[in-house]
Amino acid sequence: MLHALTGDSHVAGPAEPGHPSPGWWDALVGPGRALDTDRWFVVAPNVLGGCQGSTGPASVRPGSGRPWGGAFPFLTQRDQVTAETGLADALGIDRWALVVGGSMGGMRAVEWAVSHPERTGALLLLATSAEATAEHIAWADIQLRAVRDDPHWQGGDYHDTGHGPLAGLGLARRVAHVTYRAEPELQARFGRLPQGAEDPFHGGRYRVASYLDHHADKLNRRFDAASYVVLTEAMNAHDVGRGRGGARAALARVTASTLVAGVDSDRLYPLAQQERLAALIPSADRPRVVESAYGHDGFLIETEQVGRMVRELLAPSAPTLPGSVP
């Protein structure tokens, strides 16, 4: 299971130290659930470049005694899958029964299936694309500028100063969160209502602004701004066809039983992008649609619909064998 931009390995289970919220796909993983842990061994690695266990900009650079900071290398999704391949090797896993991911996780999932078709038994791609589009990059550029224009960014070398670019990261999260949700949902939930007793005509906030403040504060408490930059740049670099003769030639390598699904209200990764993926993957079934009012985040929220697709892909599988895990 491959997490999205600000996710991590805490895919299931209650809130715990270091993880202030329950697992991001908690309803999908566990005994008797779609990813039945009585049958399958589930692996959800922290992505390389992140800040929840894998090496990232906040990690100590070997030989320096100081954090990597702004010297951390530029990464692509392909680099991250190379690291995950090393993890699979270390665990003795020759072949995944299922590789599943949404958004940034879907980018890595498709890279797994193209780079290592012999190690990918089945594939579920959710709310993702074959490559980053101009609009993806445009939204991301605004977020990157917000972080880098914060005076506390200091070229990424802020980790041992006691002051990080929290204002910039918070602004980036506000922008991102609007793209993750859908306009009808925001209108239905918040409309033009003020936040409590605050008066927007006299410096107060609208309720929707308070909602964005809340999500900015949550991210600032658990995520490193430099990791946000590294991972956002890796998403911008996503192009499954790079160096492979284009997307059509690259996706022709996929042999896994594949389902591609999009969210009908997703304005960041609209359905046409998933339809293209499904059309270019020879082993893909017809594209599926997750019905949701929640926009891009629907792939995380609509676990019943996602669970049906997981069960469909795993249903024909033989009984669990050593070295074959989702």
Side-chain angles (χ1 to χ4, degrees):
M1 303 186 73
L2 303 178
H3 65 75
L5 173 60
T6 61
D8 55 39
S9 62
H10 188 52
V11 68
E16 59 187 19
H19 294 114
S21 301
W24 50 273
W25 252 353
D26 187 62
L28 211 63
V29 180
R33 295 177 179 172
L35 281 166
D36 188 348
T37 49
D38 288 338
R39 184 183 182 199
W40 301 107
F41 182 60
V42 178
V43 179
N46 285 300
V47 70
L48 181 65
C51 54
Q52 286 283 357
S54 297
T55 301
S59 304
V60 174
R61 185 176 184 178
S64 73
R66 300 187 61 191
W68 276 94
F72 193 81
F74 182 89
L75 295 176
T76 67
Q77 305 296 323
R78 208 169 296 175
D79 296 326
Q80 292 161 338
V81 168
T82 298
E84 291 167 359
T85 305
L87 172 64
D89 292 343
L91 294 173
I93 298 167
D94 301 321
R95 185 172 185 266
W96 303 102
L98 172 66
V99 177
V100 53
S103 193
M104 186 183 82
M107 296 175 181
R108 303 205 312 284
V110 75
E111 277 289 347
W112 258 104
V114 170
S115 298
H116 305 285
E118 76 288 351
R119 302 184 72 165
T120 309
L123 182 66
L124 178 55
L125 304 175
L126 298 163
T128 194
S129 62
E131 63 271 309
T133 68
E135 186 166 20
H136 295 155
I137 295 169
W139 283 116
D141 183 70
I142 297 169
Q143 296 168 54
L144 293 170
R145 292 290 183 96
V147 175
R148 287 171 169 152
D149 285 351
D150 187 311
H152 294 304
W153 171 245
Q154 300 182 65
D157 295 321
Y158 59 85
H159 292 93
D160 51 5
T161 69
H163 300 284
L166 299 182
L169 180 60
L171 180 55
R173 184 60 167 185
R174 289 174 176 87
V175 171
H177 200 76
V178 173
T179 71
Y180 296 158
R181 309 302 279 222
E183 187 277 334
E185 181 221 356
L186 295 178
Q187 180 62 25
R189 288 179 66 183
F190 305 112
R192 295 184 47 78
L193 294 174
Q195 175 61 22
E198 296 183 32
D199 183 356
F201 283 28
H202 295 87
R205 296 173 299 171
Y206 289 98
R207 189 174 295 180
V208 69
S210 173
Y211 169 73
L212 296 178
D213 289 346
H214 168 71
H215 281 281
D217 291 342
K218 278 182 64 177
L219 190 71
N220 269 329
R221 289 195 297 269
R222 69 176 182 86
F223 213 79
D224 178 43
S227 281
Y228 195 91
V229 167
V230 166
L231 300 184
T232 298
E233 288 186 325
M235 291 180 72
N236 283 350
H238 172 56
D239 180 0
V240 74
R242 186 181 65 254
R244 294 166 169 161
R248 181 179 298 276
L251 293 169
R253 302 183 186 187
V254 178
T255 58
S257 299
T258 301
L259 291 179
V260 183
V263 181
D264 58 1
S265 56
D266 190 343
R267 55 184 171 185
L268 185 59
Y269 289 80
L271 288 172
Q273 294 176 19
Q274 292 83 58
E275 291 168 352
R276 179 168 178 261
L277 269 173
L280 294 179
I281 296 174
S283 56
D285 198 1
R286 60 179 174 81
R288 307 299 173 84
V289 177
V290 174
E291 296 179 356
S292 179
Y294 298 107
H296 184 63
D297 276 353
F299 83 91
L300 293 169
I301 296 169
E302 308 294 351
T303 51
E304 184 175 343
Q305 295 180 63
V306 173
R308 287 199 293 268
M309 289 181 276
V310 169
R311 292 180 191 275
E312 181 178 347
L313 284 166
L314 291 177
S317 299
T320 306
L321 299 173
S324 181
V325 298

